Amino acid sequence: MSWTDERVELLKKMWGEGQSASQIAKELGGVTRNAVIGKVHRLGLSNRAGSTSSSSSDSSATKAEAKPKAKAAAPKAAPAPKPAADSKPDLKTESAEPRALPISARNKIIPAGQPLPPQPSANEISPEALAKVNEVEKKAKKLSLMELTERTCKWPVGDPATEHFWFCGLPVQQGKPYCEAHVGVAFQPMSSRRDRRR
DNA sequence: CCCTGATTCGC
DNA sequence: GCGAATCAGG
């Protein structure tokens, strides 16, 4: 793959948006994050806004996209439909609000037949997200509490008081306690703010 | 171990 | 110019 004008543009755009080199590379396809970083440097646009130390513990942006700089409309000749090799619906759930973590509350043992409030499932989560979860649960590694690690999805499934209980165990999404699918249902798109009854 | 960007250096 | 390998850090 070569750095065509379009690819470079996307690179600039994404880099400007604070996307990581690996994400950009993934999006572009055909290049590694090293290539992206190398290109970024060659283009002379290294540091983005202030924060040099990349990343590290999750972080992520909690800030909204603010582009004080309005770019003059350039006479684009060709809209070019970019059919990214594999384009998945971008799921940038930046402004999401975490709901109560269903992680087994502490290490408390829940007696059988007792109420299990947390289980967030049939709520007002996007049906797609739920469907995704159901699908994922089939592939779940079904780990036990003690098998969980920092990199395993800690989403609980089933009733803790029965045999039919396990944790998802799939690879977590960086910085999150759950796998992608479960992050989808754990974090609401920001809304669902029930009207205060009064 | 996962990830991040930075640099080097042969091609 | 390119980018894998390597480095440095969280």
Side-chain angles (χ1 to χ4, degrees):
Chain A
M1 280 283 186
S2 57
W3 286 107
T4 62
D5 209 33
E6 293 177 29
R7 289 166 68 78
V8 172
E9 243 182 81
L10 181 56
L11 165 60
K12 288 180 180 175
K13 181 196 169 197
M14 292 184 76
W15 185 260
E17 292 174 358
Q19 302 273 356
S20 70
S22 63
Q23 285 181 302
I24 297 173
K26 188 179 170 188
E27 181 71 33
L28 286 169
V31 288
T32 64
R33 74 182 194 88
N34 282 313
V36 171
I37 292 172
K39 186 60 180 175
V40 163
H41 281 217
R42 267 172 256 126
L43 287 174
L45 34 72
S46 16
N47 59 10
R48 328 181 209 202
S51 353
T52 301
S53 33
S54 48
S55 64
S56 56
S57 22
D58 72 275
S59 71
S60 299
T62 309
K63 46 182 58 184
E65 267 288 276
K67 279 196 155 68
K69 212 172 185 84
K71 208 172 268 179
K76 282 287 167 104
K82 287 193 178 111
D86 59 292
S87 55
K88 293 187 173 184
D90 294 310
L91 27 78
K92 325 288 190 195
T93 315
E94 303 264 349
S95 322
E97 213 171 78
R99 39 161 57 194
L101 300 179
I103 299 176
S104 57
R106 307 299 145 348
N107 292 320
K108 180 182 294 180
I109 297 176
I110 304 175
Q114 283 310 102
L116 304 170
Q119 287 300 342
S121 43
N123 232 327
E124 28 196 284
I125 305 173
S126 73
E128 297 179 18
L130 284 176
K132 200 172 182 182
V133 169
N134 289 325
E135 205 173 295
V136 152
E137 290 185 359
K138 295 172 188 169
K139 299 184 297 185
K141 292 165 73 176
K142 303 189 177 183
L143 300 180
S144 70
L145 178 59
M146 295 178 299
E147 293 173 309
L148 293 175
T149 73
E150 302 305 309
R151 264 78 189 172
T152 59
C153 178
K154 300 168 185 60
W155 189 268
V157 178
D159 188 329
T162 69
E163 300 295 302
H164 185 249
F165 179 70
W166 34 265
F167 292 92
C168 176
L170 293 173
V172 297
Q173 194 154 43
Q174 159 110 37
K176 306 279 194 353
Y178 309 121
C179 63
E180 187 186 331
H182 286 134
V183 164
V185 295
F187 294 83
Q188 287 187 12
M190 129 226 112
S191 65
S192 75
R193 215 31 319 165
R194 288 289 67 157
D195 290 346
R196 285 238 188 281
R197 180 90 74 61
R198 70 191 172 89

